[in-house]
Amino acid sequence: MSKLLKTVSVINTVDTSHEDMIHDAQMDYYGTRLATCSSDRSVKIFDVKNGGQILVADLRGHEGPVWQVAWAHPMYGNILASCSYDRKVIIWKEENGTWDKMYEYTGHDSSVNSVCWGPYDFGLFLACGSSDGAISVLTCSGDGHWDIKKINNAHTIGCNAVSWAPAVVPGSLIEQPTGQKPNYIKRFVSGGCDNLVKLWKEEDGQWKEDQKLEAHSDWVRDVGWAPSIGLPTSTIASCSRDGRVFIWTCDDPAGNTWTAKLLHKFNDAVWHVSWSITGKILAVSGGDNKVTLWKESVDGQWACISDVNKGQGAVTSITDSQQNEQ
Amino acid sequence: MHLGFEWGPGDLLVYETNYKLQGSPLVHVVRKDEDICSPILRKLFNESHLIFVGLQKIKEDVPSKNKKSQFVSISKNYRSVIRACMEELQQNAGKHSPDTHRTRRGGCSRSVSILLAIELIWNLCEVLFIDAAPAGSLLLHLLDWVRLHKSDVDARAREVLQSESPAQHQSYWDVVISLVLQGRMDEARQVLSKQASLRAESSSVFKRMDVLLQTMPIFNPTGTQTLTEFDVKWRHWHEECDRCLQDNTFASNRHLETIVKILVGDEDTILEQKELLSTWYHFLVTRLLFTHPTIKPPDLHYYAQSSMNMFLGPRAPPEPLDIILLSAFEFDLHQVIKDCSIALNNWWFVAHLTDLLDHCKLLQSHNLHFGSNLREFLVLEYASGLFTHHSLWQLAVDYFDHCPEFGRVYLELQIERIPLDTERKAIKVLRICEDRQMSEQVRSICKIMAKRALRNNRLGSALSWSIRAKDAAFATLISERFLQDYCNKGSFTDLDLLDNLGPAMLLSDRLTFLGKYREFHRLYGENRFSEAAKLLLSLMTAKIAPRGLWMTLLTDALPLLEQKEVKTRTTHALHSHFTVVKKLDEDIESTKTELLRLALARNLAMAIVKEGTIET
């Protein structure tokens, strides 16, 4: 009997028709639409239902390469945020079948590198980080008006990534006081050119630095706060130009003691990390043109479960400690 | 060059970035598990779902003896579903026209071979773990297992027997030996008898063989004979066979010589039948049949390992399937599950098998770091995979329901991602959330649907959804739209809805007003003027009428005031309200004001007269 190989299959290839390289691609909440952004300064939206690819919108408004796009929760309508080298964050909204600029934020003095929407339970708001070192939190107050809170000098030299904590209070699965709604605190994590990972908490309407996590020896390129499944543990992943990926965990609900675990030291700068929907698998994109998938094993160690190589249709599974022979 | 990777709710995105452009950049949508999409495998998922749910319902208090037979029966059900699927796939594969793309045909046959492997492994697990046959029965079950998975013998036997001259058929001896190797002595004798009738002089030799085959003891688990007694009998028979070999009884016929060597359990001879055996596990069972039929379960692994080594030889490394079977023979359940998880594309097999084994209390609580046991972990993985499918997600709900630790939160995370393409689908999803008191998800879904309806100007639908979401703010917004529409058009839409709001009306003040206002119009339409006037008055008194509508309300009152039944008191009250309004809104149209004043005065006069008349 032939080998039972685990494979993934490419079910659709979307020709984006961008005129320059793309920097981000994001599926919407339901996986029916795809948003891409590019150095050609445009943001495109495709309908990818049932294996199709129909260009729904070609959004122009940025004056420089667009680095990231992020979809808001569908409860607020079809809303997409984009951030760019042109120092702007633009929020786009679909109204009566057409996409238009809903709001434009120009509060930064340098490239805005990352944008991320907060958990929908708290409302419609986002955080964005810029090369000017500042982080801004934009909150929609309902009538098209946006409230701005800016954190200056969040990271010296520049901020590269922001990611929100999920809305669940850690441990809510276990100790839920009956009938009482737990006190939700808004928190997010950021990574910067000062090699630091920082945690931010909102207190009395102001944003304060809550934790400073040091472990990287070069620019932190990306951070990701894992989705919660109700366990008392909070988990954050950070990756850096130093080739390292760290997993940060905090077991106490107050969020005070964070422990770092080195996931892996890669041979190249690692530029992107992303958590799966249930937060069980971490995808790591490295400079060596590879994406590896990692999962926490029984003994608390992180193991590489898959290796996605460019040009290959097959993803071979490897066991815990073995190296992929390919 | 960088490879970008993003998680979609179901599929994954892979794209290239940070490189010199050659043509426009592409984004690949990647699916982890294509099996989900196969329409034939869908039957597997659907039917096994029923079995799974039935299994969860088995009561804990049933005595274990009865439970075992129940579990074995469930195991057989699962296997029959696998077989049915396999047969359908095979039929389908046969139907392919030469034009069918090679990969699709290949994919079909690959699915068949995977299902075959799955059924093979499951069957062995059933024999060893679920049925857990003791020595004596163990070998019989293993023989059944081998016979089931080496079915070409029957086809060949039929072919030989149906031929004109069976004994001359080129596969004749292959068939006889195959039957002997599988312990099917009666059938072997039947085929042999075709040979015996031809040669008169060597008939005695054939008769001897016939006797040997006929007298081979087979353990009867339901009989009165103990294992020891069987063993004694078997050894006697074995010695008899050996005597025949030593006496060169069958030296005249090399085939019969081969057979007697097999009967004696000569491993080299059995190994020579490699082609007929075709697998090392067939070799294992045959070997045990003729050397150690009373094998005990714990001793199995030694023979398994050596059989595999002997059969495969030094140069052929074992394949994943071989390793899995070996782990089973070694009674290492966890290894079996682990290896299957790695080797197979879809979690279906490991999830259902582990769940069944867990019910049989065969898994030690293998706690994983995130607090869930092995069974729950696998079921969660399987169900999560189902969630990406546009209709199979409904099966997943039941699986999550039976994962006590994390089922609920997994369901909460994933049920929100189901595209709410139609209202019907949204209601289906909603019902699932409502049944499980997932209030956050209910609220979220209703809000999404309400917003969507509002965007499409379907006010009635938007209102229903906001009521269901218990969203007062949105209900207020939509009520104002209704009222705006009324002011612009002079009539209400969605009368059915507004007339039947019931207690939902109380969700927001504006909504209450809307409902009552509509009621006012209805009463007026039914000529129940006195009630209508009272209602109008109460609306104004209760102060839930929006400021902007006060004039409208009073204007509505105008025709009422012409009606004779409206009492003095009511008119007085209306008058005072009118005064209030007039004071607050200085720039009210003077004609309207005059009309109203006139009407009020007239009505007052009428009422006084009427009441006066009656009282006299």
Side-chain angles (χ1 to χ4, degrees):
Chain A
M1 220 221 60
S2 63
K3 274 207 178 86
L4 303 166
L5 244 198
K6 235 188 181 126
T7 55
V8 299
S9 13
V10 175
I11 58 166
N12 193 4
T13 297
V14 179
D15 185 342
T16 62
S17 324
H18 275 296
E19 289 154 30
D20 206 333
M21 63 178 107
I22 51 183
H23 296 290
D24 198 8
Q26 295 287 339
M27 289 279 222
D28 76 342
Y29 206 66
Y30 300 120
T32 49
R33 283 198 171 169
L34 170 68
T36 58
C37 61
S38 157
S39 271
D40 73 358
R41 308 170 187 187
S42 74
V43 173
K44 296 193 199 219
I45 300 176
F46 300 86
D47 183 324
V48 290
K49 260 203 304 255
N50 300 321
Q53 42 176 295
I54 305 166
L55 180 67
V56 165
D58 189 343
L59 306 173
R60 309 270 165 173
H62 282 295
E63 289 149 347
V66 188
W67 301 126
Q68 284 192 358
V69 283
W71 289 94
H73 191 272
M75 143 161 31
Y76 300 106
N78 286 344
I79 296 176
L80 184 74
S82 62
C83 65
S84 156
Y85 180 77
D86 70 355
R87 300 172 283 165
K88 294 196 282 203
V89 171
I90 301 182
I91 299 171
W92 312 85
K93 185 170 182 164
E94 189 185 29
E95 206 79 68
N96 299 325
T98 45
W99 284 85
D100 265 317
K101 236 186 255 196
M102 180 191 181
Y103 180 68
E104 192 175 282
Y105 175 61
T106 48
H108 283 289
D109 307 318
S110 218
S111 167
V112 183
N113 303 316
S114 177
V115 67
C116 181
W117 289 100
Y120 71 86
D121 314 56
F122 296 154
L124 183 66
F125 62 104
L126 61 78
C128 57
S130 163
S131 290
D132 66 4
I135 296 173
S136 305
V137 178
L138 282 60
T139 309
C140 185
S141 51
D143 48 356
H145 177 71
W146 292 79
D147 215 44
I148 316 285
K149 291 222 170 71
K150 195 167 174 204
I151 309 166
N152 285 307
N153 294 316
H155 291 274
T156 50
I157 311 175
C159 171
N160 293 323
V162 286
S163 170
W164 286 93
V168 185
V169 172
S172 65
L173 194 71
I174 287 127
E175 340 122 18
Q176 182 74 282
T178 38
Q180 220 183 319
K181 210 169 187 228
N183 204 8
Y184 294 138
I185 309 160
K186 286 190 200 164
R187 295 204 291 174
F188 70 87
V189 59
S190 66
C193 301
D194 52 5
N195 308 349
L196 295 173
V197 172
K198 289 192 182 182
L199 303 186
W200 304 87
K201 199 194 279 196
E202 193 186 35
E203 246 169 57
D204 306 317
Q206 293 304 314
W207 286 95
K208 303 216 166 77
E209 185 183 303
D210 183 45
Q211 292 282 322
K212 195 189 309 213
L213 306 176
E214 301 184 53
H216 289 291
S217 54
D218 205 331
W219 290 15
V220 177
R221 290 294 309 275
D222 201 7
V223 288
W225 203 312
S228 162
I229 49 167
L231 284 177
T233 322
S234 291
T235 312
I236 292 173
S238 67
C239 70
S240 157
R241 256 184 7 181
D242 66 8
R244 290 191 181 84
V245 175
F246 278 99
I247 306 287
W248 304 87
T249 47
C250 175
D251 288 326
D252 70 284
N256 293 328
T257 32
W258 290 84
T259 355
K261 190 182 288 178
L262 177 69
L263 179 85
H264 192 67
K265 163 108 181 35
F266 294 83
N267 296 326
D268 238 299
V270 184
W271 64 282
H272 185 46
V273 285
S274 104
W275 291 100
S276 64
I277 306 277
T278 48
K280 289 303 189 66
I281 308 180
L282 179 69
V284 177
S285 306
D288 49 358
N289 195 27
K290 260 201 333 199
V291 172
T292 42
L293 303 181
W294 300 79
K295 198 165 189 165
E296 199 175 11
S297 67
V298 185
D299 51 2
Q301 293 308 305
W302 286 83
C304 182
I305 59 166
S306 266
D307 204 299
V308 182
N309 282 311
K310 180 218 164 190
Q312 262 183 292
V315 173
T316 50
S317 271
I318 60 181
T319 49
D320 296 355
S321 48
Q322 288 164 16
Q323 274 303 302
N324 188 357
E325 274 132 84
Q326 287 176 295
Chain B
M1 161 99 74
H2 285 176
L3 203 61
F5 184 98
E6 287 298 332
W7 299 92
D11 301 324
L12 317 164
L13 294 176
V14 177
Y15 58 94
E16 291 166 355
T17 184
N18 208 37
Y19 72 119
K20 230 164 170 61
L21 195 64
Q22 271 161 26
S24 77
L26 307 169
V27 176
H28 304 282
V29 183
V30 171
R31 178 157 296 159
K32 271 193 293 174
D33 178 15
E34 265 239 283
D35 289 341
I36 288 282
C37 299
S38 155
I40 293 169
L41 287 183
R42 191 164 318 162
K43 207 192 263 182
L44 180 71
F45 300 137
N46 273 309
E47 294 185 17
S48 59
H49 162 255
L50 287 171
I51 303 173
F52 175 86
V53 171
L55 172 57
Q56 310 310 309
K57 297 206 177 109
I58 289 182
K59 296 262 183 287
E60 283 295 315
D61 51 1
V62 174
S64 56
K65 192 94 192 283
N66 298 346
K67 265 213 220 141
K68 180 160 115 155
S69 57
Q70 249 182 324
F71 290 142
V72 171
S73 149
I74 287 171
S75 177
K76 291 196 197 300
N77 278 347
Y78 274 125
R79 285 196 296 120
S80 71
V81 171
I82 299 172
R83 297 209 134 231
C85 231
M86 215 166 23
E87 274 160 25
E88 208 175 317
L89 270 173
Q90 269 166 333
Q91 273 173 15
N92 245 41
K95 278 197 206 129
H96 281 313
S97 68
D99 302 325
T100 309
H101 195 260
R102 196 170 23 94
T103 51
R104 176 126 175 255
R105 236 183 302 159
C108 229
S109 70
R110 192 174 60 84
S111 298
V112 171
S113 67
I114 289 176
L115 284 177
L116 257 168
I118 284 176
E119 206 268 325
L120 181 72
I121 300 168
W122 192 307
N123 199 344
L124 184 60
C125 289
E126 183 186 303
V127 167
L128 297 176
F129 304 121
I130 303 174
D131 215 343
S137 305
L138 177 59
L139 182 66
L140 295 175
H141 288 180
L142 285 175
L143 269 173
D144 281 335
W145 175 65
V146 161
R147 287 171 192 165
L148 194 60
H149 293 96
K150 187 107 182 61
S151 50
D152 61 343
V153 177
D154 296 289
R156 279 173 115 193
R158 257 196 311 273
E159 195 191 307
V160 164
L161 288 173
Q162 283 166 5
S163 71
E164 273 214 21
S165 181
Q168 316 308 109
H169 197 289
Q170 57 168 6
S171 300
Y172 178 76
W173 284 109
D174 279 348
V175 166
V176 176
I177 293 176
S178 295
L179 290 168
V180 170
L181 290 170
Q182 288 195 358
R184 293 154 78 172
M185 301 316 185
D186 287 339
E187 290 170 80
R189 288 172 56 217
Q190 189 199 9
V191 181
L192 260 182
S193 66
K194 304 289 177 201
Q195 180 76 259
S197 56
L198 291 176
R199 303 184 184 188
E201 66 275 14
S202 49
S203 65
S204 66
V205 181
F206 280 91
K207 273 210 190 86
R208 263 331 278 288
M209 177 55 77
D210 190 64
V211 167
L212 280 183
L213 293 175
Q214 191 188 17
T215 55
M216 173 167 154
I218 306 281
F219 180 66
N220 183 354
T222 57
T224 48
Q225 183 191 58
T226 66
L227 195 63
T228 326
E229 285 166 4
F230 163 77
D231 198 34
V232 166
K233 268 193 98 176
W234 184 82
R235 279 180 202 288
H236 277 306
W237 174 84
H238 192 266
E239 277 159 23
E240 181 63 34
C241 294
D242 198 30
R243 224 172 294 136
C244 287
L245 182 63
Q246 301 308 324
D247 292 344
N248 287 319
T249 312
F250 300 106
S252 56
N253 184 315
R254 65 181 174 88
H255 297 293
L256 293 180
E257 181 86 347
T258 304
I259 293 174
V260 76
K261 279 191 181 157
I262 293 172
L263 295 182
V264 150
D266 180 49
E267 283 173 0
D268 292 327
T269 313
I270 300 176
L271 203 53
E272 274 165 30
Q273 311 307 319
K274 227 178 175 171
E275 256 196 66
L276 296 179
L277 292 167
S278 76
T279 60
W280 63 269
Y281 39 94
H282 190 332
F283 172 58
L284 162 67
V285 176
T286 302
R287 198 182 153 200
L288 289 172
L289 176 64
F290 297 114
T291 58
H292 198 30
T294 55
I295 181 119
K296 293 199 287 287
D299 300 332
L300 206 48
H301 77 97
Y302 165 72
Y303 287 93
Q305 181 74 67
S306 60
S307 299
M308 190 173 85
N309 294 339
M310 285 164 76
F311 193 91
L312 293 180
R315 255 166 296 162
E319 297 194 338
L321 177 60
D322 299 323
I323 309 275
I324 292 167
L325 292 174
L326 194 61
S327 302
F329 284 122
E330 287 168 1
F331 285 84
D332 191 349
L333 254 182
H334 288 109
Q335 193 64 41
V336 172
I337 295 168
K338 181 176 177 189
D339 289 343
C340 288
S341 304
I342 292 173
L344 293 166
N345 210 14
N346 179 290
W347 295 99
W348 182 89
F349 174 55
V350 284
H352 289 89
L353 179 62
T354 308
D355 172 61
L356 180 56
L357 293 172
D358 190 48
H359 275 91
C360 299
K361 305 259 185 285
L362 289 169
L363 294 177
Q364 298 136 341
S365 164
H366 194 128
N367 273 306
L368 304 174
H369 182 71
F370 17 87
S372 176
N373 64 34
L374 184 62
R375 170 212 167 258
E376 179 159 325
F377 171 75
L378 294 171
V379 173
L380 286 172
E381 292 286 333
Y382 169 65
S384 298
L386 280 181
F387 243 95
T388 61
H389 192 272
H390 65 87
S391 69
L392 289 175
W393 64 268
Q394 296 170 79
L395 302 181
V397 176
D398 282 321
Y399 287 97
F400 284 133
D401 280 344
H402 290 107
C403 290
E405 267 203 77
F406 292 112
R408 190 193 167 83
V409 69
Y410 264 67
L411 182 59
E412 281 173 2
L413 279 171
Q414 301 192 310
I415 201 156
E416 290 189 302
R417 300 291 184 138
I418 296 170
L420 307 168
D421 310 318
T422 60
E423 204 145 302
R424 206 167 123 235
K425 197 170 187 188
I427 289 175
K428 213 185 262 188
V429 176
L430 204 56
R431 201 159 292 148
I432 291 172
C433 295
E434 283 170 346
D435 286 345
R436 289 159 182 76
Q437 286 98 43
M438 292 180 175
S439 45
E440 284 297 314
Q441 283 67 32
V442 169
R443 202 177 59 92
S444 160
I445 290 167
C446 289
K447 266 191 112 155
I448 292 170
M449 295 306 286
K451 272 234 147 123
R452 201 183 288 174
L454 189 63
R455 275 207 299 278
N456 295 329
N457 272 316
R458 292 182 291 120
L459 292 182
S461 182
L463 187 61
S464 300
W465 283 113
S466 355
I467 290 172
R468 203 156 177 178
K470 298 201 177 50
D471 190 339
F474 210 60
T476 302
L477 195 96
I478 297 172
S479 304
E480 297 206 326
R481 279 284 292 271
F482 264 104
L483 293 167
Q484 240 171 43
D485 268 7
Y486 168 74
C487 287
N488 296 337
K489 293 184 218 157
S491 64
F492 285 109
T493 54
D494 300 285
L495 295 176
D496 256 345
L497 176 64
L498 295 179
D499 286 340
N500 293 300
L501 285 173
M505 220 191 281
L506 301 170
L507 182 62
S508 98
D509 276 352
R510 192 65 83 249
L511 181 59
T512 314
F513 173 75
L514 175 66
K516 292 285 174 198
Y517 193 42
R518 160 65 201 150
E519 197 183 327
F520 162 72
H521 282 275
R522 199 164 42 85
L523 288 170
Y524 189 85
E526 290 167 9
N527 291 340
R528 290 151 72 180
F529 300 121
S530 153
E531 285 173 73
K534 274 211 197 84
L535 179 55
L536 193 63
L537 189 63
S538 70
L539 280 179
M540 294 169 103
T541 323
K543 295 190 169 54
I544 59 167
R547 259 281 291 278
L549 276 173
W550 286 357
M551 262 324 275
T552 315
L553 286 177
L554 285 169
T555 318
D556 281 334
L558 265 175
L560 261 184
L561 298 174
E562 299 299 309
Q563 300 304 324
K564 297 199 176 93
E565 304 103 74
V566 180
K567 295 230 187 310
T568 321
R569 233 180 318 129
T570 319
T571 314
H572 271 301
L574 282 170
H575 198 281
S576 65
H577 274 284
F578 170 68
T579 324
V580 169
V581 172
K582 180 85 189 346
K583 276 211 187 87
L584 294 169
D585 269 315
E586 292 301 326
D587 54 354
I588 291 176
E589 236 191 277
S590 53
T591 17
K592 239 195 216 162
T593 322
E594 276 318 299
L595 256 168
L596 210 49
R597 205 195 286 280
L598 196 62
L600 277 167
R602 242 207 342 261
N603 182 268
L604 199 55
M606 261 195 318
I608 291 170
V609 167
K610 177 162 170 269
E611 271 157 46
T613 319
I614 290 169
E615 266 161 320
T616 48

